[in-house]
Amino acid sequence: MNNKKKILLLVEGAKTDVRLMEHLLEIYKIDVKHEIVSYNTNIYTLYKEMFEKNNPEDIDILQILKERENNQEKKKIFDEKYTDILLIFDLDPHDSQFSDMKITRMMNYFVESSDMGKLYINYPMVEAFYHMKEIPDKAFNNYCATMAELQERTYKKRVNEENRNRDYRKFACTRKECNIVIKQNITKAFLILNKKYEDNVLNHADILVAQLKKMVKDNEVYVLCTCVFFIIEYNPRLIKE
């Protein structure tokens, strides 16, 4: 990507997701043109709209987004041309619409940001970014979210309690701290894949497969924020500076 790019970031929620992506863009001085759009519901609704009601080969995500937008001014966002589309969603394995088939199909479809879009799944949700008691957190590799706490909707409360300072606005405020958080998530992703840390792009589909196996085996998923991998895919040197 370069400064001639125009990126659409489609995020799940209207607050935490938007705030995190704006923070990362600002911290890393990624001054490309961009729009951050909240989908305001989870990825399984997107699956229904794009894969059940339509053939994804016949319709692109911008059409889907335009059709569901009631605000005429906001509709114009989806008439724009974007060089890259990033989809940032939660796994939400406790959702009644969840199925490994649905999420796997979407992961295997949204693989290219400059074409149909690229999907980034946060495990179990975007709050994973803030799930550190300190920076760095030596115990981070061991953090998992159980199905029980997701079904009881207590995971966010746990993150709030275990987050350093208990205030997201004070978490990873500097580039140095963001670098550490991102590197810890990269290291954990390689660990989940049972691979040694390598300075290259991670395979998101392989991470999903490993997380789905973890769910079946242990009834939990590894806490992992993958939307931050956008930074190293944009420019791997950013987290080295």
Side-chain angles (χ1 to χ4, degrees):
M1 298 182 187
N2 56 49
N3 287 342
K4 295 181 180 178
K5 298 283 188 178
K6 186 172 184 179
I7 305 173
L8 176 70
L9 297 104
L10 178 64
V11 301
E12 180 168 326
K15 294 182 179 179
T16 305
D17 309 61
V18 173
R19 184 169 53 208
L20 175 57
M21 297 316 297
E22 286 180 340
H23 178 60
L24 293 174
L25 290 168
E26 181 180 348
I27 282 284
Y28 289 101
K29 309 298 182 189
I30 300 175
D31 58 354
V32 295
K33 294 180 180 178
H34 66 271
E35 292 281 356
I36 302 178
V37 176
S38 174
Y39 191 58
N40 288 319
T41 185
N42 67 34
I43 193 169
Y44 304 106
T45 300
L46 177 61
Y47 178 87
K48 186 175 183 179
E49 292 178 339
M50 191 155 181
F51 290 82
E52 288 183 359
K53 294 182 178 178
N54 297 285
N55 181 343
E57 302 297 334
D58 298 331
I59 188 169
D60 66 36
I61 194 163
L62 293 176
Q63 289 175 267
I64 295 288
L65 297 173
K66 187 176 181 179
E67 287 174 4
R68 71 194 312 269
E69 179 57 62
N70 294 321
N71 185 304
Q72 293 302 314
E73 283 301 310
K74 290 184 178 179
K75 274 184 185 290
K76 296 177 183 177
I77 292 174
F78 308 115
D79 290 328
E80 296 288 324
K81 299 289 185 182
Y82 296 94
T83 54
D84 295 272
I85 299 175
L86 311 182
L87 297 83
I88 298 165
F89 282 88
D90 301 338
L91 178 64
D92 285 340
H94 56 294
D95 188 90
S96 60
Q97 300 180 82
F98 166 83
S99 84
D100 53 359
M101 180 279 291
K102 291 178 183 176
I103 196 69
T104 299
R105 187 178 179 190
M106 297 185 84
M107 180 62 80
N108 290 335
Y109 180 78
F110 292 112
V111 295
E112 177 52 59
S113 65
S114 61
D115 191 357
M116 71 293 288
K118 183 164 183 175
L119 176 60
Y120 295 79
I121 295 289
N122 293 313
Y123 303 91
M125 54 189 67
V126 70
E127 280 75 10
F129 179 81
Y130 302 96
H131 197 164
M132 288 188 182
K133 297 177 182 177
E134 52 191 345
I135 300 174
D137 187 334
K138 294 179 180 178
F140 179 66
N141 287 347
N142 298 322
Y143 292 170
C144 293
T146 68
M147 286 302 296
E149 63 185 339
L150 294 173
Q151 290 163 348
E152 294 167 2
R153 300 186 183 281
T154 59
Y155 177 70
K156 288 184 182 180
K157 180 174 180 290
R158 176 185 164 198
V159 177
N160 281 323
E161 291 174 347
E162 296 183 352
N163 168 254
R164 190 192 67 171
N165 298 329
R166 298 188 179 183
D167 187 342
Y168 292 177
R169 294 169 301 178
K170 298 178 181 177
F171 184 83
C173 294
T174 67
R175 185 162 175 163
K176 181 179 180 181
E177 288 186 341
C178 272
N179 285 351
I180 294 171
V181 173
I182 292 173
K183 287 176 180 176
Q184 284 216 257
N185 277 278
I186 294 171
T187 300
K188 187 169 182 177
F190 279 112
L191 183 67
I192 290 169
L193 296 175
N194 198 28
K195 293 181 178 179
K196 293 182 179 179
Y197 184 96
E198 299 169 9
D199 192 14
N200 56 22
V201 177
L202 287 157
N203 187 311
H204 292 248
D206 289 346
I207 295 172
L208 175 62
V209 170
Q211 291 279 31
L212 294 175
K213 286 181 179 177
K214 178 72 172 173
M215 281 177 55
V216 172
K217 181 175 178 287
D218 300 321
N219 223 25
E220 61 185 16
V221 294
Y222 293 105
V223 171
L224 185 72
C225 181
T226 74
C227 69
V228 295
F229 297 167
F230 152 68
I231 299 298
I232 57 170
E233 292 170 7
Y234 178 82
N235 182 351
R237 290 178 298 178
L238 288 176
I239 65 168
K240 296 179 180 177
E241 296 171 353

